[in-house]
Amino acid sequence: MFLKVQLPWNVIIPAENLDAKGLLLQRSIIIRLLEDFAARKATKDLGYYLAVTTLESIGEGRVRQQTGDVMFPVVFSGITFKLYRGEILEGVVHKVLKHGVFLRCGPVENIYLSHLKMPGYSYMPGENPVFNDKVSRIEKDIVVRFIVIGTKWLEAEREFQALVSLEGHYLGPVS
Amino acid sequence: MSGEEEENAAELKIGDEFLKAKCLMNCEVALILEHKYEQLQQMSDDAGNHVSQVFEKSQQYVKRFSRYKNPDAVRQVREILSRYQLAEFELCVLGNLCPETVEEAIAMVPSIKTKGRAHDDEAIEKMLNDLSLIKKFE
């Protein structure tokens, strides 16, 4: 699910950029915010950080004693993406293995659909391996509608993994 | 989120702070990211601004998975769904998956039928009909 969030943030402007005044300073703050935001990538609470949409406010700068940098407290609105347990979404198969497939959904690459969670499907090995049931195929580049049964936050990599399932009505490959 | 209640979007148990957060449909995000992308291109002389991996992958995704492309249609979808006393989360799942029948809608968003809420089948059917009309005239 894509979320619109409002966040406080501390933007640090190095001393040498502080000659700029007014609009140029504001531009430096915005650029710095965008860089920090992109570098953050994701957090456990809000999910993946996509984009800053509006800068709501810039507070008064405070000089940091040791470095001479100035810290500006800002508030901005942005978009994030997070997977919720129990949520139903659509994604694309990007890898097929004997025991299941990996899906891509939004910015998340590590979404695993186990064979055990594909009722009625059997694995067919080959150059283009596929899971078949009587009427449909699950193979690379197919769109699948699934339900999220669990998510995991990986602190070191700053990303999420998810386990999903096709158990339920109206789930499975989408034509 | 409290430790006792396990997260479950199907029952709308997604944490109090998220129940009140604004959710966005894929088609809304597609329009926003397109606009952002154009803005960033214009700023590209500074600091070598190129978009993050997260942005790129997300933009690819929402472009492919938007049921509505026209900005007016996107606005109308939000407006129509907002009339039905849905949580933001529920509204967006419906706007993203565009169920065709009442049965499918309930399967996609089970919480609309639980918690003693007054969403009878007729109301859901009307909502789905209104959505499909927007699609027809997009």
Side-chain angles (χ1 to χ4, degrees), chain B residues 12-135:
Chain B
L12 216 46
K13 287 190 185 140
I14 54 175
D16 293 333
E17 68 273 22
F18 292 110
L19 277 177
K20 288 182 244 131
K22 195 157 160 47
C23 298
L24 295 171
M25 295 182 283
N26 296 341
C27 53
E28 291 173 318
V29 176
L31 293 175
I32 295 171
L33 294 187
E34 181 64 45
H35 183 237
K36 270 289 127 180
Y37 188 71
E38 284 163 7
Q39 265 186 349
L40 287 173
Q41 295 294 82
Q42 283 168 11
M43 280 176 81
S44 70
D45 43 310
D46 288 65
N49 262 318
H50 44 258
V51 296
S52 67
Q53 280 263 305
V54 172
F55 185 104
E56 224 172 72
K57 289 183 191 160
S58 304
Q59 193 179 22
Q60 263 173 36
Y61 179 81
V62 293
K63 265 190 176 154
R64 181 171 182 177
F65 289 97
S66 292
R67 298 302 176 110
Y68 306 89
K69 310 277 181 193
N70 177 301
D72 287 326
V74 171
R75 250 191 303 275
Q76 275 177 49
V77 171
R78 167 69 68 165
E79 204 243 311
I80 287 182
L81 288 174
S82 300
R83 296 182 202 155
Y84 290 88
Q85 279 125 39
L86 300 163
E88 283 271 321
F89 189 91
E90 297 170 324
L91 186 155
C92 290
V93 174
L94 290 169
N96 285 337
L97 300 179
C98 291
E100 294 177 346
T101 63
V102 172
E103 215 180 64
E104 191 182 355
I106 296 170
M108 297 298 96
V109 190
S111 52
I112 57 178
K113 271 301 212 178
T114 61
K115 298 165 78 148
R117 298 165 73 185
H119 287 112
D120 62 4
D121 288 6
E122 259 178 59
I124 300 173
E125 174 123 31
K126 176 159 197 324
M127 173 176 73
L128 297 181
N129 284 336
D130 291 343
L131 284 182
S132 67
L133 278 177
I134 302 178
K135 189 93 194 93

Side-chain angles (χ1 to χ4, degrees), chain A residues 4-120:
Chain A
K4 185 160 180 208
V5 301
Q6 199 173 76
L7 289 177
W9 200 276
N10 290 324
V11 178
I12 296 169
I13 302 291
E16 54 268 23
N17 294 35
L18 287 165
D19 282 342
K21 299 242 168 43
L23 284 180
L24 281 180
L25 177 59
Q26 187 168 36
R27 195 178 164 83
S28 294
I29 294 173
I30 292 171
I31 290 173
R32 195 44 189 262
L33 171 64
L34 294 180
E35 286 172 355
D36 290 352
F37 183 85
R40 179 61 67 96
K41 189 178 165 192
T43 62
K44 185 176 181 186
D45 291 332
L46 296 175
Y48 290 80
Y49 280 31
L50 258 66
V52 172
T53 50
T54 358
L55 190 53
E56 308 288 349
S57 67
I58 302 179
E60 261 187 51
R62 263 163 271 171
V63 179
R64 287 168 37 153
Q65 303 293 13
Q66 316 292 41
T67 55
D69 301 339
V70 177
M71 188 191 76
F72 291 89
V74 309
V75 177
F76 71 92
S77 290
I79 304 179
T80 67
F81 180 85
K82 187 173 175 171
L83 289 172
Y84 289 93
R85 187 172 165 272
E87 185 180 359
I88 294 177
L89 299 125
E90 292 174 344
V92 183
V93 177
H94 69 90
K95 200 188 290 191
V96 178
L97 302 172
K98 196 163 53 167
H99 298 295
V101 305
F102 278 96
L103 299 150
R104 193 177 274 144
C105 173
V108 192
E109 299 263 308
N110 273 329
I111 297 176
Y112 186 61
L113 170 60
S114 157
H115 178 210
L116 299 169
K117 296 292 177 189
M118 294 186 219

